[in-house]
């Protein structure tokens, strides 16, 4: 049943990348009868292949092709070649992701209007709003099987959650629960319930967590309308003299350059690779890269204001047991400038295994202050901060002088915190530490951000062509048959983990593309 | 019991000790070993003194009193290699020079961790220190055998996860 399309077939939609955006889009189009060729740089791995071992799993799934960094963020110093922790595999980063799935709040769709202009920030309203997105969110929640939405029950709380919940309640927080998670609390949609193995970041071996790798991808293939080519690294998007895109060039499994024709091209390589590809596709007609008349391709890179708080207690917690991120405090997600910053943040439980804890607790740290923390690993609890960061024009992806294995310039990621980001992080550290102190923590650790897991904004959505790269459908302002379908479309980041929104946008975009194709307008 | 003795970690001293206990057969290559011969680490490219210094340095960078020397030895044994030789030679010489300037025979014979740490702090930005420290992050903490010492349980899928093995068994809150 799996389709096979000719390289010369110019009736297909080519989707680049098969993660949250591209994987879902491919399946949704295929379900509607649209022929799709999905090109994925990584290989195919299924639950039986996933490894309950942090570094081994990282070696199996993570994107480790070269990237470079600049700016004053600490990641550029501690992990200069690894600005992001994301996946190169069929299913993209939905293999690694923890499953936290929450909707944007209404005011966050209109950040500029809600917060007013902020010095040094490039805030903008999305050209869509909560009412427009509500039905798409509902579809996305049903697809992902998000707990605490529809009639799906919440997950049970693990040890890490219990400590977090008790502390949060002691501080008076009200919106505290085990999260809205794309992890089954009961069997759902042919996937089993969570077995509390605690390796959500390494790919769920039970399939209890939603991932495009074993849901949307095989279901799309089963329609006979979707062909997924793995180990297919897209190098360039091609266009004709009229400025319409005509196909893509990619390196196949054997390293040979192939050309796939296309009626429509959708870019979904995550927020470093998508702008990189548009920039690497520059031509005499588009010397600054495709879809870049606004000069916004690559700009406004956002990664959420993050950080973690770990704490040690005088008794065991064993935080690694059970779901990695099933716990949330939402009280600080509101917009309340009296705290000294605009926008808000979520606090979510988080646990790392010992090997990752050693690498990320205090990168570069050593000596007794560091090792006594790890000595208390068994009595440790942990949480993650995820808050809205400010888009800035100078936080951007550009082409580096370094080249990858294909001879293509890699992405350089320049990032510096905005003062609003710093104020928010410091507030969150304080609250996080207070939560743990309220339940008797003997020591707390305000831990710096990891390489980015949330990467957003580098092809942002805008009402006006001069403010951004794509319109409200993710269609590029400049080229009618070129779309962006991943997190790089985000106009602003909101306080919430992004994937539910990426998926909702992809479902909506598939609907739009299919009807425009049927109408013959693209 | 597996603690390396700081003094006299020369080839001759070690040989003498091992021979006297008869616990280890030595075949003419260099090695360093635990005094109780619980484990030994062969060196073929760098010197025993250099390896012993690396081992001490590893302990001083990431001191865990409950983690035996053998785990640190595993973490640094990769430095006994042709392409690491120059780095190690230079780095150990720098450590020893700093120790001598502070009135000690060499780095490994400094009795207090505190004093050794001061020397390390002064060379914290040097490539030698950064390489050794960076390598230890995975070299030490990614050894499955050390995980139980920290209480970490590792792989859990084959045991059916924690759903029936204490994911929510906290009892002191
Ligand atoms: C450890 C971790 C935990 C996370 N937890 C959460 C969470 O709890 N909740 C949440 O909402 N989000 C979470 N995320 C983030 C989430 O995974 C991402 O937001 C989401 O997967 C991004 O979707 P995407 O489509 O933009 O890109 P991805 O899912 O990264 O997919 C991009 C794909 O494109 C491929 N690709 C790139 N360039 C090319 C090219 N040139 N040619 C061919 N293929 C290419 C890549 O190999 C990749 O497979 C987490 C991420 C990580 C790493
Ligand atoms: S804890 Fe649950 S969701 Fe996470 S990997 Fe295990 S079974 Fe999957």
């Amino acid at each position: 049943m799996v389709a096979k399309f000719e390289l010369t077939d110019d009736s297909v939609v080519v989707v680049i990348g098969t993660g949250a955006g591209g994987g879902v889009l491919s399946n949704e189009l295929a379900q509607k009868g649209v022929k799709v060729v999905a090109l994925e740089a990584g290989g195919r791995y299924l639950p039986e292949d996933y490894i309950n071992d942090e570094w081994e799993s990282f070696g199996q799934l993570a994107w480790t092709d070269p990237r470079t960094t600049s700016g004053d963020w600490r990641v550029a110093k501690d992990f200069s070649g690894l600005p992001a922790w994301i996946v190169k595999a069929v299913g993209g980063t939905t293999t690694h992701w923890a499953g936290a799935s929450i909707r944007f709040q209404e005011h966050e769709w209109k950040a500029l209007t809600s917060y007013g202009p902020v010095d040094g920030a490039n805030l903008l309203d999305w050209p869509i709003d909560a009412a427009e997105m509500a039905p798409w969110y509902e579809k996305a929640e049903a697809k992902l099987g998000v707990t605490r939405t529809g009639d799906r029950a919440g997950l049970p709380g693990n040890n890490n959650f219990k400590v977090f919940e008790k502390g949060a309640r002691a501080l008076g927080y009200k919106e505290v629960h085990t999260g809205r998670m794309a992890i089954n609390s009961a069997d759902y949609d042919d996937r089993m319930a969570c077995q509390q193995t605690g390796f959500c970041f390494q790919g769920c071996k039970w399939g209890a967590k939603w991932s495009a790798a074993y849901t949307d991808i095989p279901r799309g293939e089963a329609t006979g309308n979707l062909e997924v080519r793995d180990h297919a690294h897209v190098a360039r998007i091609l266009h004709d003299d009229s400025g319409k895109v005509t196909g893509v060039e990619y390196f196949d499994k054997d390293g040979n350059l192939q050309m796939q024709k296309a009626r429509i091209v959708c870019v979904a390589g995550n927020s470093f690779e998508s702008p990189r590809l548009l920039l690497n596709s520059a031509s005499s007609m588009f010397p600054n890269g495709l879809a870049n008349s606004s000069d916004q391709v690559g700009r406004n890179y956002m990664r959420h204001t993050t950080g973690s708080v770990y704490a040690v207690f005088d008794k065991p917690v064993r935080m690694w047991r059970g779901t990695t991120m099933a716990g949330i405090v939402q009280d600080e997600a509101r917009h309340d400038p009296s705290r000294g910053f605009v926008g808000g943040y979520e606090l979510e439980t988080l646990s790392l295994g010992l090997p990752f804890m050693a690498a990320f607790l205090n990168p570069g740290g050593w000596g007794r202050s560091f090792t006594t923390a790890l000595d208390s690993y068994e009595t440790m609890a942990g949480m993650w901060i995820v808050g809205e960061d400010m888009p800035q024009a100078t936080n951007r992806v550009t082409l580096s002088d370094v080249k990858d294995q294909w001879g293509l310039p890699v992405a350089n990621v320049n990032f510096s915190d905005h003062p609003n980001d710093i104020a928010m992080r410091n507030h969150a550290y304080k609250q996080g530490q207070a939560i743990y102190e309220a339940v008797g923590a003997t020591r707390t650790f305000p831990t710096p951000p990891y390489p980015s897991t949330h990467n957003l904004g580098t092809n942002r959505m805008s009402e006006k062509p001069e403010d951004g790269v794509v319109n409200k459908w993710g269609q590029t302002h400049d080229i009618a048959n070129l779309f962006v379908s991943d997190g790089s479309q985000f106009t602003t980041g909101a306080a919430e983990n992004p994937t539910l929104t990426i998926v909702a946008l992809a479902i909506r975009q598939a609907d739009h593309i299919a009807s425009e194709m049927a109408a013959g307008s693209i | 019991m597996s603690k390396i003795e700081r003094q006299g970690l020369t080839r001759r001293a070690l040989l003498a000790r091992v021979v006297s206990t008869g616990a280890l057969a030595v075949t003419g290559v260099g090695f360093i070993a635990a005094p109780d011969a619980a484990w030994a680490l062969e060196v073929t490219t760098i010197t025993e003194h250099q390896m012993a210094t690396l081992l001490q340095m590893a302990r001083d960078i990431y001191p865990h009193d409950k983690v035996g020397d053998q785990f640190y030895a595993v973490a640094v044994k990769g430095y006994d290699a042709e392409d690491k030789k120059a780095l190690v030679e230079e780095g150990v010489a720098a450590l020893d020079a700093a120790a001598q300037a502070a009135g000690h025979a060499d780095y490994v014979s400094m009795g207090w961790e505190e004093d050794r740490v001061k020397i390390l702090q002064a060379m914290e930005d040097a490539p030698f220190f950064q390489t050794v420290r960076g390598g230890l992050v995975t070299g030490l903490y990614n050894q499955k055998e050390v995980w139980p010492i920290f209480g970490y349980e590792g792989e859990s899928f084959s045991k059916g996860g924690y759903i029936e093995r204490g994911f929510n068994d906290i009892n002191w809150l």
Side-chain angles (χ1 to χ4, degrees), chain A residues 157-164 313 315-319 321 379-381, chain B residues 166-173:
Chain A
N158 67 355
N159 291 334
N160 199 27
F161 173 73
K162 289 184 170 181
V163 174
F164 174 83
F313 297 85
K315 295 188 197 68
V317 176
R318 303 192 180 96
M319 65 174 169
R321 293 184 180 179
T379 69
M380 208 179 257
Chain B
F167 79 99
N168 59 357
D169 66 356
I170 197 161
N171 58 9
W172 53 263
L173 276 170

PDB file of all heavy atoms in Angstrom, chain A residues 157-164 313 315-319 321 379-381, chain B residues 166-173:
ATOM      1  N   GLY A 157      -0.038  11.064  39.746  1.00  0.00           N
ATOM      2  CA  GLY A 157       1.165  11.815  40.086  1.00  0.00           C
ATOM      3  C   GLY A 157       2.283  10.891  40.570  1.00  0.00           C
ATOM      4  O   GLY A 157       2.037   9.977  41.357  1.00  0.00           O
ATOM      5  N   ASN A 158       3.500  11.146  40.121  1.00  0.00           N
ATOM      6  CA  ASN A 158       4.627  10.345  40.610  1.00  0.00           C
ATOM      7  C   ASN A 158       5.276  11.060  41.800  1.00  0.00           C
ATOM      8  O   ASN A 158       4.789  12.097  42.278  1.00  0.00           O
ATOM      9  CB  ASN A 158       5.620  10.058  39.484  1.00  0.00           C
ATOM     10  CG  ASN A 158       6.331  11.311  38.983  1.00  0.00           C
ATOM     11  OD1 ASN A 158       6.018  12.425  39.403  1.00  0.00           O
ATOM     12  ND2 ASN A 158       7.288  11.127  38.100  1.00  0.00           N
ATOM     13  N   ASN A 159       6.364  10.510  42.284  1.00  0.00           N
ATOM     14  CA  ASN A 159       7.026  11.078  43.462  1.00  0.00           C
ATOM     15  C   ASN A 159       7.432  12.531  43.243  1.00  0.00           C
ATOM     16  O   ASN A 159       7.241  13.385  44.114  1.00  0.00           O
ATOM     17  CB  ASN A 159       8.273  10.253  43.810  1.00  0.00           C
ATOM     18  CG  ASN A 159       7.921   8.868  44.321  1.00  0.00           C
ATOM     19  OD1 ASN A 159       6.836   8.658  44.864  1.00  0.00           O
ATOM     20  ND2 ASN A 159       8.835   7.921  44.151  1.00  0.00           N
ATOM     21  N   ASN A 160       8.002  12.789  42.072  1.00  0.00           N
ATOM     22  CA  ASN A 160       8.462  14.141  41.774  1.00  0.00           C
ATOM     23  C   ASN A 160       7.277  15.108  41.806  1.00  0.00           C
ATOM     24  O   ASN A 160       7.386  16.223  42.313  1.00  0.00           O
ATOM     25  CB  ASN A 160       9.129  14.145  40.389  1.00  0.00           C
ATOM     26  CG  ASN A 160      10.030  15.346  40.162  1.00  0.00           C
ATOM     27  OD1 ASN A 160      10.566  15.922  41.115  1.00  0.00           O
ATOM     28  ND2 ASN A 160      10.199  15.736  38.913  1.00  0.00           N
ATOM     29  N   PHE A 161       6.138  14.661  41.266  1.00  0.00           N
ATOM     30  CA  PHE A 161       4.947  15.513  41.279  1.00  0.00           C
ATOM     31  C   PHE A 161       4.453  15.758  42.697  1.00  0.00           C
ATOM     32  O   PHE A 161       4.056  16.873  43.051  1.00  0.00           O
ATOM     33  CB  PHE A 161       3.815  14.893  40.444  1.00  0.00           C
ATOM     34  CG  PHE A 161       2.528  15.665  40.580  1.00  0.00           C
ATOM     35  CD1 PHE A 161       2.389  16.904  39.978  1.00  0.00           C
ATOM     36  CD2 PHE A 161       1.486  15.183  41.360  1.00  0.00           C
ATOM     37  CE1 PHE A 161       1.219  17.645  40.129  1.00  0.00           C
ATOM     38  CE2 PHE A 161       0.318  15.917  41.523  1.00  0.00           C
ATOM     39  CZ  PHE A 161       0.181  17.148  40.905  1.00  0.00           C
ATOM     40  N   LYS A 162       4.479  14.733  43.515  1.00  0.00           N
ATOM     41  CA  LYS A 162       3.919  14.892  44.865  1.00  0.00           C
ATOM     42  C   LYS A 162       4.675  15.951  45.674  1.00  0.00           C
ATOM     43  O   LYS A 162       4.073  16.742  46.405  1.00  0.00           O
ATOM     44  CB  LYS A 162       3.921  13.549  45.593  1.00  0.00           C
ATOM     45  CG  LYS A 162       2.882  12.590  45.018  1.00  0.00           C
ATOM     46  CD  LYS A 162       2.830  11.312  45.820  1.00  0.00           C
ATOM     47  CE  LYS A 162       1.632  10.470  45.401  1.00  0.00           C
ATOM     48  NZ  LYS A 162       1.563   9.233  46.180  1.00  0.00           N
ATOM     49  N   VAL A 163       5.980  15.956  45.526  1.00  0.00           N
ATOM     50  CA  VAL A 163       6.789  16.961  46.222  1.00  0.00           C
ATOM     51  C   VAL A 163       6.442  18.359  45.695  1.00  0.00           C
ATOM     52  O   VAL A 163       6.196  19.306  46.456  1.00  0.00           O
ATOM     53  CB  VAL A 163       8.298  16.674  46.007  1.00  0.00           C
ATOM     54  CG1 VAL A 163       9.150  17.783  46.605  1.00  0.00           C
ATOM     55  CG2 VAL A 163       8.678  15.317  46.598  1.00  0.00           C
ATOM     56  N   PHE A 164       6.396  18.463  44.389  1.00  0.00           N
ATOM     57  CA  PHE A 164       6.100  19.712  43.677  1.00  0.00           C
ATOM     58  C   PHE A 164       4.710  20.227  44.070  1.00  0.00           C
ATOM     59  O   PHE A 164       4.530  21.400  44.406  1.00  0.00           O
ATOM     60  CB  PHE A 164       6.179  19.346  42.191  1.00  0.00           C
ATOM     61  CG  PHE A 164       5.790  20.371  41.173  1.00  0.00           C
ATOM     62  CD1 PHE A 164       6.695  21.341  40.760  1.00  0.00           C
ATOM     63  CD2 PHE A 164       4.557  20.303  40.533  1.00  0.00           C
ATOM     64  CE1 PHE A 164       6.352  22.237  39.744  1.00  0.00           C
ATOM     65  CE2 PHE A 164       4.220  21.192  39.525  1.00  0.00           C
ATOM     66  CZ  PHE A 164       5.123  22.169  39.132  1.00  0.00           C
ATOM     67  N   PHE A 313      16.444  16.990  49.381  1.00  0.00           N
ATOM     68  CA  PHE A 313      15.720  16.822  50.635  1.00  0.00           C
ATOM     69  C   PHE A 313      16.489  15.848  51.512  1.00  0.00           C
ATOM     70  O   PHE A 313      17.461  15.243  51.082  1.00  0.00           O
ATOM     71  CB  PHE A 313      14.302  16.304  50.342  1.00  0.00           C
ATOM     72  CG  PHE A 313      13.497  17.281  49.531  1.00  0.00           C
ATOM     73  CD1 PHE A 313      13.600  17.301  48.139  1.00  0.00           C
ATOM     74  CD2 PHE A 313      12.682  18.211  50.148  1.00  0.00           C
ATOM     75  CE1 PHE A 313      12.898  18.231  47.386  1.00  0.00           C
ATOM     76  CE2 PHE A 313      11.971  19.142  49.409  1.00  0.00           C
ATOM     77  CZ  PHE A 313      12.082  19.144  48.030  1.00  0.00           C
ATOM     78  N   LYS A 315      15.256  13.153  52.590  1.00  0.00           N
ATOM     79  CA  LYS A 315      14.742  11.794  52.365  1.00  0.00           C
ATOM     80  C   LYS A 315      14.574  11.550  50.868  1.00  0.00           C
ATOM     81  O   LYS A 315      14.486  12.489  50.087  1.00  0.00           O
ATOM     82  CB  LYS A 315      13.395  11.625  53.076  1.00  0.00           C
ATOM     83  CG  LYS A 315      13.498  11.705  54.585  1.00  0.00           C
ATOM     84  CD  LYS A 315      12.162  11.331  55.225  1.00  0.00           C
ATOM     85  CE  LYS A 315      12.085  11.795  56.660  1.00  0.00           C
ATOM     86  NZ  LYS A 315      12.033  13.284  56.782  1.00  0.00           N
ATOM     87  N   PRO A 316      14.484  10.283  50.484  1.00  0.00           N
ATOM     88  CA  PRO A 316      14.442   9.966  49.044  1.00  0.00           C
ATOM     89  C   PRO A 316      13.210  10.498  48.315  1.00  0.00           C
ATOM     90  O   PRO A 316      12.116  10.533  48.880  1.00  0.00           O
ATOM     91  CB  PRO A 316      14.426   8.435  49.009  1.00  0.00           C
ATOM     92  CG  PRO A 316      14.868   7.980  50.348  1.00  0.00           C
ATOM     93  CD  PRO A 316      14.532   9.069  51.319  1.00  0.00           C
ATOM     94  N   VAL A 317      13.413  10.892  47.078  1.00  0.00           N
ATOM     95  CA  VAL A 317      12.314  11.274  46.191  1.00  0.00           C
ATOM     96  C   VAL A 317      12.261  10.301  44.999  1.00  0.00           C
ATOM     97  O   VAL A 317      11.231   9.819  44.616  1.00  0.00           O
ATOM     98  CB  VAL A 317      12.483  12.721  45.673  1.00  0.00           C
ATOM     99  CG1 VAL A 317      11.377  13.066  44.673  1.00  0.00           C
ATOM    100  CG2 VAL A 317      12.483  13.713  46.830  1.00  0.00           C
ATOM    101  N   ARG A 318      13.408  10.010  44.427  1.00  0.00           N
ATOM    102  CA  ARG A 318      13.514   9.137  43.243  1.00  0.00           C
ATOM    103  C   ARG A 318      12.661   9.693  42.105  1.00  0.00           C
ATOM    104  O   ARG A 318      11.756   9.059  41.596  1.00  0.00           O
ATOM    105  CB  ARG A 318      13.117   7.693  43.587  1.00  0.00           C
ATOM    106  CG  ARG A 318      13.970   7.128  44.719  1.00  0.00           C
ATOM    107  CD  ARG A 318      13.832   5.636  44.907  1.00  0.00           C
ATOM    108  NE  ARG A 318      14.686   5.211  46.008  1.00  0.00           N
ATOM    109  CZ  ARG A 318      14.250   5.041  47.272  1.00  0.00           C
ATOM    110  NH1 ARG A 318      12.977   5.196  47.573  1.00  0.00           N
ATOM    111  NH2 ARG A 318      15.108   4.687  48.206  1.00  0.00           N
ATOM    112  N   MET A 319      13.037  10.902  41.720  1.00  0.00           N
ATOM    113  CA  MET A 319      12.234  11.650  40.746  1.00  0.00           C
ATOM    114  C   MET A 319      12.204  11.004  39.370  1.00  0.00           C
ATOM    115  O   MET A 319      11.325  11.288  38.571  1.00  0.00           O
ATOM    116  CB  MET A 319      12.778  13.075  40.634  1.00  0.00           C
ATOM    117  CG  MET A 319      14.177  13.153  40.062  1.00  0.00           C
ATOM    118  SD  MET A 319      14.685  14.856  39.783  1.00  0.00           S
ATOM    119  CE  MET A 319      16.430  14.617  39.444  1.00  0.00           C
ATOM    120  N   ARG A 321      11.550   8.090  38.556  1.00  0.00           N
ATOM    121  CA  ARG A 321      10.502   7.085  38.382  1.00  0.00           C
ATOM    122  C   ARG A 321       9.233   7.744  37.860  1.00  0.00           C
ATOM    123  O   ARG A 321       8.713   8.680  38.457  1.00  0.00           O
ATOM    124  CB  ARG A 321      10.189   6.411  39.719  1.00  0.00           C
ATOM    125  CG  ARG A 321      11.335   5.559  40.245  1.00  0.00           C
ATOM    126  CD  ARG A 321      10.884   4.867  41.510  1.00  0.00           C
ATOM    127  NE  ARG A 321      11.937   4.031  42.072  1.00  0.00           N
ATOM    128  CZ  ARG A 321      11.791   3.339  43.193  1.00  0.00           C
ATOM    129  NH1 ARG A 321      10.648   3.402  43.871  1.00  0.00           N
ATOM    130  NH2 ARG A 321      12.781   2.591  43.640  1.00  0.00           N
ATOM    131  N   THR A 379      17.643  11.948  46.514  1.00  0.00           N
ATOM    132  CA  THR A 379      16.711  12.755  47.313  1.00  0.00           C
ATOM    133  C   THR A 379      16.332  14.048  46.592  1.00  0.00           C
ATOM    134  O   THR A 379      15.859  14.997  47.197  1.00  0.00           O
ATOM    135  CB  THR A 379      17.329  13.120  48.681  1.00  0.00           C
ATOM    136  OG1 THR A 379      18.407  14.046  48.465  1.00  0.00           O
ATOM    137  CG2 THR A 379      17.852  11.889  49.398  1.00  0.00           C
ATOM    138  N   MET A 380      16.549  14.066  45.292  1.00  0.00           N
ATOM    139  CA  MET A 380      16.358  15.287  44.516  1.00  0.00           C
ATOM    140  C   MET A 380      14.984  15.326  43.855  1.00  0.00           C
ATOM    141  O   MET A 380      14.453  14.294  43.457  1.00  0.00           O
ATOM    142  CB  MET A 380      17.439  15.305  43.431  1.00  0.00           C
ATOM    143  CG  MET A 380      17.869  16.668  42.969  1.00  0.00           C
ATOM    144  SD  MET A 380      19.163  16.504  41.712  1.00  0.00           S
ATOM    145  CE  MET A 380      20.626  16.897  42.635  1.00  0.00           C
ATOM    146  N   ALA A 381      14.434  16.547  43.750  1.00  0.00           N
ATOM    147  CA  ALA A 381      13.223  16.769  42.958  1.00  0.00           C
ATOM    148  C   ALA A 381      13.556  17.843  41.940  1.00  0.00           C
ATOM    149  O   ALA A 381      14.500  18.619  42.139  1.00  0.00           O
ATOM    150  CB  ALA A 381      12.070  17.222  43.848  1.00  0.00           C
TER     151      ALA A 381
ATOM    152  N   GLY B 166       6.842   1.435  42.490  1.00  0.00           N
ATOM    153  CA  GLY B 166       7.151   2.591  43.327  1.00  0.00           C
ATOM    154  C   GLY B 166       7.260   3.938  42.655  1.00  0.00           C
ATOM    155  O   GLY B 166       8.003   4.792  43.136  1.00  0.00           O
ATOM    156  N   PHE B 167       6.520   4.183  41.564  1.00  0.00           N
ATOM    157  CA  PHE B 167       6.604   5.522  40.951  1.00  0.00           C
ATOM    158  C   PHE B 167       6.009   6.585  41.871  1.00  0.00           C
ATOM    159  O   PHE B 167       6.332   7.761  41.756  1.00  0.00           O
ATOM    160  CB  PHE B 167       5.933   5.544  39.574  1.00  0.00           C
ATOM    161  CG  PHE B 167       4.426   5.637  39.598  1.00  0.00           C
ATOM    162  CD1 PHE B 167       3.790   6.850  39.398  1.00  0.00           C
ATOM    163  CD2 PHE B 167       3.655   4.507  39.814  1.00  0.00           C
ATOM    164  CE1 PHE B 167       2.403   6.944  39.417  1.00  0.00           C
ATOM    165  CE2 PHE B 167       2.261   4.583  39.838  1.00  0.00           C
ATOM    166  CZ  PHE B 167       1.634   5.806  39.644  1.00  0.00           C
ATOM    167  N   ASN B 168       5.144   6.156  42.784  1.00  0.00           N
ATOM    168  CA  ASN B 168       4.481   7.125  43.678  1.00  0.00           C
ATOM    169  C   ASN B 168       4.576   6.683  45.138  1.00  0.00           C
ATOM    170  O   ASN B 168       3.654   6.875  45.907  1.00  0.00           O
ATOM    171  CB  ASN B 168       3.018   7.317  43.257  1.00  0.00           C
ATOM    172  CG  ASN B 168       2.233   5.999  43.299  1.00  0.00           C
ATOM    173  OD1 ASN B 168       2.814   4.951  43.589  1.00  0.00           O
ATOM    174  ND2 ASN B 168       0.952   6.060  43.020  1.00  0.00           N
ATOM    175  N   ASP B 169       5.706   6.096  45.490  1.00  0.00           N
ATOM    176  CA  ASP B 169       5.804   5.478  46.822  1.00  0.00           C
ATOM    177  C   ASP B 169       6.353   6.407  47.905  1.00  0.00           C
ATOM    178  O   ASP B 169       6.694   5.966  48.996  1.00  0.00           O
ATOM    179  CB  ASP B 169       6.662   4.199  46.747  1.00  0.00           C
ATOM    180  CG  ASP B 169       8.119   4.497  46.393  1.00  0.00           C
ATOM    181  OD1 ASP B 169       8.452   5.684  46.135  1.00  0.00           O
ATOM    182  OD2 ASP B 169       8.927   3.549  46.359  1.00  0.00           O
ATOM    183  N   ILE B 170       6.437   7.674  47.617  1.00  0.00           N
ATOM    184  CA  ILE B 170       7.001   8.609  48.600  1.00  0.00           C
ATOM    185  C   ILE B 170       6.111   8.611  49.844  1.00  0.00           C
ATOM    186  O   ILE B 170       4.892   8.636  49.746  1.00  0.00           O
ATOM    187  CB  ILE B 170       7.149  10.019  47.978  1.00  0.00           C
ATOM    188  CG1 ILE B 170       8.084  10.872  48.819  1.00  0.00           C
ATOM    189  CG2 ILE B 170       5.812  10.710  47.759  1.00  0.00           C
ATOM    190  CD1 ILE B 170       8.635  12.075  48.063  1.00  0.00           C
ATOM    191  N   ASN B 171       6.734   8.541  51.022  1.00  0.00           N
ATOM    192  CA  ASN B 171       5.910   8.357  52.226  1.00  0.00           C
ATOM    193  C   ASN B 171       6.225   9.364  53.323  1.00  0.00           C
ATOM    194  O   ASN B 171       5.785   9.216  54.446  1.00  0.00           O
ATOM    195  CB  ASN B 171       6.092   6.931  52.763  1.00  0.00           C
ATOM    196  CG  ASN B 171       7.562   6.650  53.072  1.00  0.00           C
ATOM    197  OD1 ASN B 171       8.384   7.563  53.032  1.00  0.00           O
ATOM    198  ND2 ASN B 171       7.885   5.404  53.369  1.00  0.00           N
ATOM    199  N   TRP B 172       6.989  10.376  52.992  1.00  0.00           N
ATOM    200  CA  TRP B 172       7.376  11.290  54.079  1.00  0.00           C
ATOM    201  C   TRP B 172       6.778  12.685  53.947  1.00  0.00           C
ATOM    202  O   TRP B 172       7.055  13.557  54.759  1.00  0.00           O
ATOM    203  CB  TRP B 172       8.904  11.387  54.178  1.00  0.00           C
ATOM    204  CG  TRP B 172       9.607  11.743  52.901  1.00  0.00           C
ATOM    205  CD1 TRP B 172      10.183  10.873  52.023  1.00  0.00           C
ATOM    206  CD2 TRP B 172       9.829  13.063  52.352  1.00  0.00           C
ATOM    207  NE1 TRP B 172      10.751  11.544  50.960  1.00  0.00           N
ATOM    208  CE2 TRP B 172      10.546  12.889  51.139  1.00  0.00           C
ATOM    209  CE3 TRP B 172       9.500  14.358  52.754  1.00  0.00           C
ATOM    210  CZ2 TRP B 172      10.940  13.975  50.338  1.00  0.00           C
ATOM    211  CZ3 TRP B 172       9.889  15.428  51.953  1.00  0.00           C
ATOM    212  CH2 TRP B 172      10.600  15.226  50.763  1.00  0.00           C
ATOM    213  N   LEU B 173       5.960  12.891  52.923  1.00  0.00           N
ATOM    214  CA  LEU B 173       5.473  14.261  52.706  1.00  0.00           C
ATOM    215  C   LEU B 173       4.412  14.671  53.722  1.00  0.00           C
ATOM    216  O   LEU B 173       3.563  13.869  54.069  1.00  0.00           O
ATOM    217  CB  LEU B 173       4.885  14.382  51.292  1.00  0.00           C
ATOM    218  CG  LEU B 173       5.906  14.656  50.187  1.00  0.00           C
ATOM    219  CD1 LEU B 173       5.241  14.500  48.826  1.00  0.00           C
ATOM    220  CD2 LEU B 173       6.518  16.049  50.316  1.00  0.00           C
TER     221      LEU B 173
END
